[in-house]
């Protein structure tokens, strides 16, 4: 049986939008709750759940996004990563596009 959504709130920190490291931790935290509650593939629920954790500047940023981005987890993840990208001096490799087959 899936965990109650209320339990998921305790597992996800508030997202203030400080930097990429915070963003990099926030996205998997939301995904983990989605997985545990059997809602990982429900993009609307995931986006709504994530929206409950935005505070401060991140809340203002989120409120100004187009509605279709606010309501779709996949689009919201892309918006998050565009707004809080890795630092230029981050030497890890990020490939946001799937390999061509």
């Amino acid at each position: 049986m899936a965990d109650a959504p209320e339990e998921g709130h305790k597992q996800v920190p508030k997202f203030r939008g400080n930097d990429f490291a915070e963003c990099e931790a926030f996205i998997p935290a939301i995904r983990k709750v989605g997985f545990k509650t059997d809602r990982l593939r429900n993009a609307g629920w995931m986006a709504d759940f994530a929206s409950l954790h935005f505070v401060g500047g991140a809340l203002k940023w989120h409120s100004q996004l187009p509605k279709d981005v606010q309501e779709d987890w996949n689009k919201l993840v892309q918006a998050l990563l565009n707004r809080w990208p890795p630092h230029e001096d981050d030497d890890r490799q990020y490939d946001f596009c799937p390999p061509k087959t």
Side-chain angles (χ1 to χ4, degrees), residues 3 5 21 37-38 43 47 49 52 55 57 62 66 75 87 90 92 97:
D3 292 338
T37 60
D38 295 323
F49 182 72
L52 300 173
V55 295
H62 180 265
K75 292 179 182 180
H87 293 287
D90 188 339
R92 294 178 288 177
C97 299

Side-chain angles (χ1 to χ4, degrees), residues 35-53:
F35 180 79
K36 286 185 171 187
T37 60
D38 295 323
R39 293 180 175 103
L40 186 59
R41 301 284 180 221
N42 184 333
W45 185 90
M46 295 284 290
D48 288 345
F49 182 72
S51 74
L52 300 173
H53 298 87

Side-chain angles (χ1 to χ4, degrees), residues 5 10 23 25 28-29 31 36 52 56-58 61 64 68-69 72 74-75 80-81 94:
K10 298 175 187 175
C23 183
R31 286 183 175 151
K36 286 185 171 187
L52 300 173
W61 168 82
Q64 295 172 344
D68 67 308
V69 176
D72 184 313
N74 299 310
K75 292 179 182 180
L80 283 161
L81 293 172
Y94 296 95

Side-chain angles (χ1 to χ4, degrees), residues 76-97:
L76 182 56
V77 167
Q78 289 303 308
L80 283 161
L81 293 172
N82 285 333
R83 173 62 183 88
W84 290 280
H87 293 287
E88 289 182 18
D89 61 348
D90 188 339
D91 61 356
R92 294 178 288 177
Q93 298 296 313
Y94 296 95
D95 185 4
F96 293 112
C97 299

